[in-house]
Amino acid sequence: MSGNPYGPYQEFAMPPMPSAPPPAPPDGWRAVAVAVLNLSGLGLGYALLRRWVLAAVCWAATAVLLFVALPADADGVPGAALAVYVLLVLLAAVHGAFAGLRTRLTWPGRAPLALLLGVLLLAVPAFGTVWYDDAHDEAVQQALLDRLDHADHLVTTAGRHRFPTARGDYRAALEIYRDLAVDHSGSRAAGQVPDRMRTFYTTVAAAYGHKEYCDAVEPLKYLRTVPRTMPGKQLGTLAQWPDDRLAASLYACGSAGLAGGGTDWVTRFGDLLNTFPHSESAAKVVPAVDAAVKNAEKDVNGAQPCTAVAQLRDLNTRITDLSGTDAGTSDALTKSAGRADRSGDAGEYACGVDQYKDGDFSAAQKTLDQYVADNRSGRNRDRAKKIAIGAEVAQTLPAAGKKLPTTASGGSISVTVKNDSPDDVTVLYTGPVTGSFTLKGCGSCKSYALLDTLRTGFKPCSSGRNYPQRTLSLPVGTTYFVHKPHGGSTATPASDTARLRSGYIYTECAYTTSTLGSTS
């Protein structure tokens, strides 16, 4: 009988192996520890739970944040990136807490120790945040200093050009200084703005420092507008810095224009009197104007009297245009204007004489006639009348203008002037004696035909009529006569040159001729 020496054969079934360690009992300390470890942003909570994919996600998120944030600049971390990162860290903490509630840690074995480690590791993001804030603040300071340097460069560049060209750069620099002073008042750059403003003012007003006073007016006016936008504590005494310089420039520029015969001095002095009426510079305006009037008065007796008269006329007009807020100044300027006007009137005599001597008889007549009209009691009025008559005669007989007429009158030679013309006639004469008178027209007389005047033996004033006449007593010498018709007559003035000698009686006859409907 065969048998199994080992006994009967039996089969045993092995129990199935578990796929994962059995869940650990819930542990609140462990959940908190994992959450705190994940709050560091390093994913250590997931690492101690062996959730390597999630830990890698945390590492990647922190790496991306560091890539975006570093190096620290003035713009800082974009708000959206920071918000996403914070949200991911919070989600990791919450999720880690749930995951660690029933999952054992690989290390350390005790949850309180892990929690302590997590709390200590929170110092890493805290320190990083503090460090980044400091780095960001420094980057902001450097960016503001760069803006300050840019404004300084604008001012330096603008200083190489004339103000009208450089105004835009000055305006841009001022906007930067103001932004630094107002919007970044605690920055290192803002602390340097007051010094920069002193440089700004001296650069803008460089023309004043170079004594180019006319060029300095516009930039100094611009500087007076700066306090409207720049805080007063940034300017200090600079707020009033341009005032005295502008007043001095307006006076210097106006004085130069006044002395040089320019026309803008009225504008300069007007600005000075209206803007700084009580300034030291404004007090110089009236003396300067008076001096200009006196100099023009002296020039009346110089080589160019007509130029001096024109200057006095111009001074009268322009001084009248000046206005000031101070009543005393206005009164003084009114007196100066009146003096210039009177001196201009008186100077017309010298001007007319000069024109006469230069042979400009038409201008001389006009000037002296005006002098007679303007000066009812002028000491040269009588002679001016005589010279004006001589100038009118010389326009027809240039030889009459070789000598300047005097106020002499009378003589020993009788000269009778008759009018054989239907028109009133003014008789002008000059020579040793100068004068004029008017003869009424001859009512029974007519104009002679031109052919009649060409016949041999033609003698006007010979018919025995009672002609309008006047007898003169003239000295020996050459007297020049001009007969000038009146009214609507188109007759050309007739003329005669009479060489008077003793022992003779002379007759002058005025008549008119006609040809083809015209008279002469």
Side-chain angles (χ1 to χ4, degrees):
M1 172 177 177
S2 62
N4 184 354
Y6 299 101
Y9 176 75
Q10 294 181 350
E11 293 183 358
F12 296 96
M14 297 293 292
M17 296 294 293
S19 59
D27 187 341
W29 286 102
R30 187 171 59 237
V32 172
V34 173
V36 172
L37 285 168
N38 279 354
L39 280 177
S40 67
L42 301 176
L44 293 180
Y46 285 136
L48 296 182
L49 295 178
R50 297 178 299 279
R51 302 289 183 93
W52 302 110
V53 173
L54 295 176
V57 171
C58 292
W59 298 337
T62 300
V64 170
L65 179 67
L66 292 176
F67 178 79
V68 172
L70 298 178
D73 57 25
D75 294 332
V77 180
L82 185 61
V84 170
Y85 179 75
V86 170
L87 180 61
L88 286 175
V89 169
L90 292 176
L91 289 175
V94 173
H95 181 263
F98 280 105
L101 185 62
R102 294 181 176 276
T103 305
R104 291 187 175 87
L105 303 176
T106 58
W107 182 90
R110 297 173 63 86
L113 184 60
L115 177 59
L116 177 62
L117 178 62
V119 171
L120 293 175
L121 288 176
L122 287 179
V124 174
F127 174 78
T129 300
V130 172
W131 174 85
Y132 182 81
D133 286 343
D134 290 343
H136 174 256
D137 289 343
E138 180 61 25
V140 170
Q141 294 289 341
Q142 289 299 323
L144 295 177
L145 289 171
D146 289 343
R147 291 190 65 197
L148 182 68
D149 289 341
H150 176 61
D152 295 343
H153 177 71
L154 287 174
V155 172
T156 301
T157 301
R160 302 189 185 105
H161 304 282
R162 298 177 66 85
F163 180 76
T165 303
R167 183 193 291 268
D169 285 342
Y170 286 132
R171 186 182 295 113
L174 185 61
E175 289 177 356
I176 294 175
Y177 291 143
R178 181 187 180 281
D179 178 71
L180 293 175
V182 175
D183 297 335
H184 305 282
S185 57
S187 66
R188 297 201 299 269
Q192 300 181 42
V193 168
D195 289 338
R196 296 305 198 275
M197 290 307 301
R198 282 188 283 273
T199 302
F200 179 85
Y201 269 64
T202 55
T203 303
V204 172
Y208 177 83
H210 298 152
K211 297 184 179 181
E212 298 170 354
Y213 298 113
C214 290
D215 290 339
V217 169
E218 187 177 0
L220 286 169
K221 285 185 176 181
Y222 168 75
L223 288 176
R224 295 188 75 229
T225 67
V226 171
R228 300 175 188 171
T229 56
M230 184 64 68
K233 66 180 181 179
Q234 301 294 335
L235 296 178
T237 58
L238 288 176
Q240 290 77 38
W241 187 87
D243 292 352
D244 289 341
R245 291 166 175 80
L246 177 57
S249 296
L250 287 170
Y251 173 75
C253 183
S255 296
L258 181 60
T263 59
D264 65 338
W265 63 270
V266 176
T267 301
R268 301 304 187 191
F269 282 170
D271 285 349
L272 174 58
L273 294 175
N274 288 322
T275 308
F276 308 104
H278 305 300
S279 66
E280 181 180 347
S281 295
K284 300 177 182 178
V285 170
V286 172
V289 170
D290 284 342
V293 173
K294 291 177 182 178
N295 288 334
E297 288 174 334
K298 292 178 182 178
D299 291 342
V300 168
N301 297 318
Q304 300 292 333
C306 293
T307 300
V309 169
Q311 185 178 3
L312 287 166
R313 297 296 190 204
D314 183 71
L315 284 171
N316 170 49
T317 300
R318 297 188 184 282
I319 294 172
T320 302
D321 291 340
L322 273 179
S323 60
T325 57
D326 182 69
T329 300
S330 296
D331 291 343
L333 289 173
T334 300
K335 292 179 180 178
S336 295
R339 179 175 177 175
D341 186 43
R342 292 189 298 273
S343 297
D345 289 345
E348 286 178 333
Y349 174 76
C351 175
V353 170
D354 187 66
Q355 291 169 331
Y356 188 98
K357 291 179 178 179
D358 289 341
D360 191 351
F361 301 118
S362 176
Q365 179 192 351
K366 181 178 179 181
T367 300
L368 291 169
D369 284 343
Q370 186 64 47
Y371 170 79
V372 171
D374 292 339
N375 295 270
R376 298 296 181 184
S377 58
R379 62 185 181 88
N380 294 312
R381 192 169 186 269
D382 291 339
R383 192 177 185 193
K385 290 180 180 180
K386 301 287 187 179
I387 299 174
I389 292 171
E392 188 169 1
V393 173
Q395 291 175 58
T396 302
L397 298 170
K402 292 180 179 180
K403 293 183 179 180
L404 197 66
T406 67
T407 56
S409 62
S412 59
I413 300 176
S414 177
V415 178
T416 300
V417 183
K418 300 179 179 181
N419 185 11
D420 189 4
S421 165
D423 301 316
D424 291 352
V425 173
T426 294
V427 179
L428 311 170
Y429 59 94
T430 188
V433 172
T434 301
S436 67
F437 58 90
T438 299
L439 292 177
K440 293 292 185 178
C442 175
S444 59
C445 298
K446 297 181 180 179
S447 297
Y448 290 96
L450 180 59
L451 292 178
D452 291 338
T453 64
L454 299 177
R455 292 193 181 101
T456 303
F458 169 74
K459 289 184 177 182
C461 299
S462 61
S463 65
R465 294 189 181 95
N466 187 20
Y467 297 105
Q469 59 184 292
R470 182 168 178 175
T471 299
L472 306 173
S473 295
L474 300 178
V476 173
T478 301
T479 298
Y480 302 89
F481 289 90
V482 168
H483 309 150
K484 186 173 67 173
H486 277 205
S489 174
T490 59
T492 302
S495 61
D496 183 33
T497 301
R499 293 172 175 82
L500 307 180
R501 293 180 294 174
S502 299
Y504 292 85
I505 296 176
Y506 295 87
T507 300
E508 282 282 322
C509 183
Y511 64 94
T512 56
T513 61
S514 60
T515 175
L516 299 178
S518 64
T519 60
S520 61

